[in-house]
Amino acid sequence: MLGTLCTLITALTCVSGVTVVTQKPPVVTVRKGETATMDCNLGTVTDSAARWYKQIPGGVPQYVLRFYHGNSSPTYGSGFSSPKFTSNHQSTSDYRLIINNVEERDSAVYYCQTWDSSVKEYVFGQGTKLIVTSSSLSPPVLTVFPPSSAELQSNKATLVCLSSQSVPFADVTWLSAGSPVSSGISTSTAVQQPDQTFQISSHLSIQTSDWNMDKVYTCKVSLGSQTSEENINKSKCPTEENSKLTFQVTGPFSAHTDNMLGTLCTLITALTCVSGVTVVTQKPPVVTVRKGETATMDCNLGTVTDSGAGWYKQIPGGVPQYVLRFYHSNSSPAYGSGFSSPKFTSNHQSTSDYRLIIKNVEERDSAVYYCKTWDSSVKEHVFGQGTKLIVTSSSLSPPVLTVFPPSSAELQSNKATLVCLSSQSVPFADVTWLSAGSPVSSGISTSTAVQQPDQTFQISSHLSIQTSDWNMDKVYTCKVSLGSQTSEENINKSKCPTEE
């Protein structure tokens, strides 16, 4: 997505007159212990510094360092220091981030940002993805699901590949009869799990006729020199026609989680308390409003009272967009490109309490909005944990759900996994699971949305249950809500004959 986002940013900035920040290369792959470098050109800006931020998939941007060509050394954010992290410049607008002795935990997207004084705006580059590999990395563990029997009644089929791995990035490809597939693929960003691993899900849409021809499809996931592959085809996955339902499975998995905001807030709070930097707190974590209504979200800057609140919008997998900045002694906010009054505005309740107000909201306003401030006591930019804005509408189409039962291989153990795919018109939805009509509170993991070529979004959710519960023929329900629009899909063992 980095190239597409770069093109979008370039288009927007050319229209508004703001500088274009360009990062190269889009991806850097190095081995553990080596040095990673990435470059940033500030465009027309020659009188401002380059700031670097680290963001793991689904996480909050972390301030790494700031370097200005007139200075002898960078200034650093909490948790980052020399000699591991440093920077230099080749000209007044060309900067380089250098990361020495890299580790797997350095894998992330690194964004370069500058201040364009001509338009009074912070501008981000499109990001550089750093992938750190190691011979000690464990190969990805893959689980592959064939199409659901319901889908096979139509002209399309969906294959699902779930990868569990120790780093947040991997190269996911699909093959058909040994040849690379170039279309119909949707791969989500990784999200860190409670056990500190990362999960990626990839979906391949194919024609049912191709599946019925017994073509062999391969999901291939690579982490540097470590590669895992899983094949799947119809003859290996008997359908209900012969009372068999079989899946090719190589190991356990869990999909992404959308409960990241609270966890990340806790992490940020812990880090900032240790370093002495202020804690920026946003409330509420989620705002749900109907199209045409007004959305409000609050930001407390903690110990900071002498700096304003900047707001950034980020759709899942996208680059942060500068919305506005407001300081309590000013009469009105300063705006980023594409954002203006009266739709977007801000006010304050005290010198450390600010509110973002979005009027006449539309579906395209759905995003995570981050509040940021400058803590002059430690010379650091600090982000809040984010507020998710969900805009609903009666004109929204209900989500389209596809539910996959457990694999027969999993059923040989004491656990089973149900997978629910939701296709929808907005990036956020409320996904819940029910067991015999009662809400399930544990064992659920839901991904962030991935935008599709047709501008819809896809979310995957999985539920881990005990095999004994599945064998009791309990009815499980995947329920996805977009405001007043709700879709449900039931699944239970008797509807999914096994090899028995």
Side-chain angles (χ1 to χ4, degrees):
M1 67 187 172
L2 293 180
T4 303
L5 289 165
C6 178
T7 303
L8 174 61
I9 293 172
T10 302
L12 291 172
T13 52
C14 286
V15 171
S16 65
V18 69
T19 191
V20 177
V21 175
T22 306
Q23 293 184 231
K24 293 181 180 179
V27 181
V28 174
T29 302
V30 293
R31 292 182 62 81
K32 181 180 179 180
E34 295 180 343
T35 296
T37 63
M38 53 195 77
D39 295 330
C40 177
N41 177 273
L42 306 185
T44 58
V45 172
T46 59
D47 58 350
S48 186
R51 300 171 181 85
W52 292 89
Y53 293 85
K54 173 186 177 181
Q55 187 176 38
I56 63 170
V60 173
Q62 296 175 277
Y63 176 56
V64 179
L65 62 81
R66 173 189 181 275
F67 185 56
Y68 179 61
H69 57 80
N71 296 343
S72 59
S73 61
T75 56
Y76 292 92
S78 303
F80 302 93
S81 62
S82 176
K84 183 176 178 67
F85 294 88
T86 189
S87 182
N88 58 31
H89 71 284
Q90 295 74 50
S91 72
T92 56
S93 60
D94 289 287
Y95 290 83
R96 177 169 293 164
L97 176 65
I98 304 165
I99 308 175
N100 296 306
N101 193 27
V102 295
E103 304 169 80
E104 290 94 334
R105 65 181 180 178
D106 297 322
S107 294
V109 177
Y110 289 81
Y111 291 105
C112 178
Q113 182 206 55
T114 195
W115 171 256
D116 188 343
S117 58
S118 67
V119 292
K120 293 181 170 54
E121 181 169 340
Y122 286 105
V123 186
F124 277 93
Q126 79 277 17
T128 291
K129 183 189 295 183
L130 172 61
I131 303 174
V132 180
T133 66
S134 169
S135 58
S136 63
L137 283 178
S138 300
V141 177
L142 308 185
T143 304
V144 183
F145 284 76
S148 68
S149 56
E151 270 197 313
L152 291 173
Q153 304 306 309
S154 65
N155 62 356
K156 77 164 189 174
T158 304
L159 306 178
V160 178
C161 180
L162 297 163
S163 175
S164 178
Q165 55 205 49
S166 56
V167 293
F169 300 116
D171 182 23
V172 182
T173 56
W174 286 86
L175 308 176
S176 173
S179 299
V181 178
S182 59
S183 62
I185 299 172
S186 175
T187 301
S188 69
T189 55
V191 174
Q192 196 165 23
Q193 303 300 297
D195 63 359
Q196 303 305 304
T197 61
F198 293 86
Q199 306 296 334
I200 291 177
S201 65
S202 184
H203 314 133
L204 174 63
S205 295
I206 61 174
Q207 295 298 308
T208 303
S209 57
D210 291 335
W211 177 256
N212 289 332
M213 288 172 61
D214 204 30
K215 283 188 177 180
V216 177
Y217 293 90
T218 305
C219 176
K220 182 178 179 180
V221 181
S222 299
L223 301 176
S225 62
Q226 299 285 6
T227 298
S228 296
E229 295 185 4
E230 281 302 323
N231 295 329
I232 191 168
N233 59 302
K234 182 179 179 180
S235 63
K236 288 188 176 181
C237 307
T239 66
E240 292 182 26
E241 294 174 4
N242 56 6
S243 297
K244 291 184 180 181
L245 186 65
T246 308
F247 298 99
Q248 178 75 25
V249 182
T250 60
F253 79 95
S254 59
H256 311 256
T257 176
D258 200 30
N259 298 324
M260 60 189 177
L261 294 180
T263 303
L264 287 163
C265 178
T266 303
L267 174 61
I268 291 171
T269 301
L271 290 173
T272 52
C273 285
V274 170
S275 65
V277 69
T278 191
V279 177
V280 175
T281 306
Q282 294 183 231
K283 293 182 180 179
V286 180
V287 174
T288 302
V289 293
R290 293 181 61 82
K291 181 179 179 181
E293 294 180 344
T294 296
T296 63
M297 54 195 76
D298 295 330
C299 177
N300 177 272
L301 306 185
T303 58
V304 171
T305 59
D306 58 350
S307 184
W311 291 89
Y312 293 81
K313 173 186 177 182
Q314 188 175 36
I315 63 170
V319 172
Q321 296 174 278
Y322 175 56
V323 179
L324 62 81
R325 178 186 180 276
F326 184 57
Y327 182 59
H328 56 79
S329 65
N330 294 345
S331 59
S332 61
Y335 292 92
S337 303
F339 302 93
S340 61
S341 177
K343 182 176 176 68
F344 294 88
T345 189
S346 182
N347 59 30
H348 70 286
Q349 295 74 50
S350 72
T351 56
S352 61
D353 289 286
Y354 289 82
R355 177 170 293 165
L356 176 64
I357 303 166
I358 309 175
K359 300 177 180 178
N360 193 26
V361 295
E362 306 169 79
E363 288 93 337
R364 65 180 180 180
D365 296 322
S366 294
V368 177
Y369 289 81
Y370 292 105
C371 177
K372 186 190 82 167
T373 195
W374 170 254
D375 187 343
S376 59
S377 68
V378 291
K379 294 181 170 52
E380 182 166 341
H381 292 280
V382 186
F383 279 89
Q385 79 276 17
T387 291
K388 184 191 297 182
L389 172 60
I390 304 174
V391 180
T392 66
S393 169
S394 58
S395 63
L396 286 177
S397 300
V400 178
L401 308 185
T402 305
V403 181
F404 296 79
S407 69
S408 57
E410 275 196 310
L411 291 172
Q412 303 307 309
S413 66
N414 61 359
K415 78 161 192 175
T417 305
L418 308 177
V419 177
C420 180
L421 299 182
S422 175
S423 179
Q424 55 207 48
S425 56
V426 292
F428 301 116
D430 182 24
V431 182
T432 56
W433 287 86
L434 308 175
S435 173
S438 299
V440 178
S441 59
S442 62
I444 300 171
S445 188
T446 301
S447 75
T448 54
V450 179
Q451 193 164 25
Q452 307 299 298
D454 62 1
Q455 303 306 303
T456 61
F457 294 86
Q458 192 169 74
I459 290 176
S460 64
S461 180
H462 85 260
L463 173 65
S464 294
I465 61 173
Q466 294 298 309
T467 302
S468 57
D469 290 335
W470 176 257
N471 290 332
M472 289 172 61
D473 203 31
K474 282 188 178 180
V475 177
Y476 293 90
T477 305
C478 176
K479 182 177 179 181
V480 181
S481 300
L482 302 176
S484 60
Q485 298 286 4
T486 298
S487 296
E488 296 184 3
E489 197 68 35
N490 295 329
I491 191 168
N492 59 302
K493 181 179 179 180
S494 62
K495 288 187 176 180
C496 307
T498 66
E499 294 185 36
E500 297 173 1

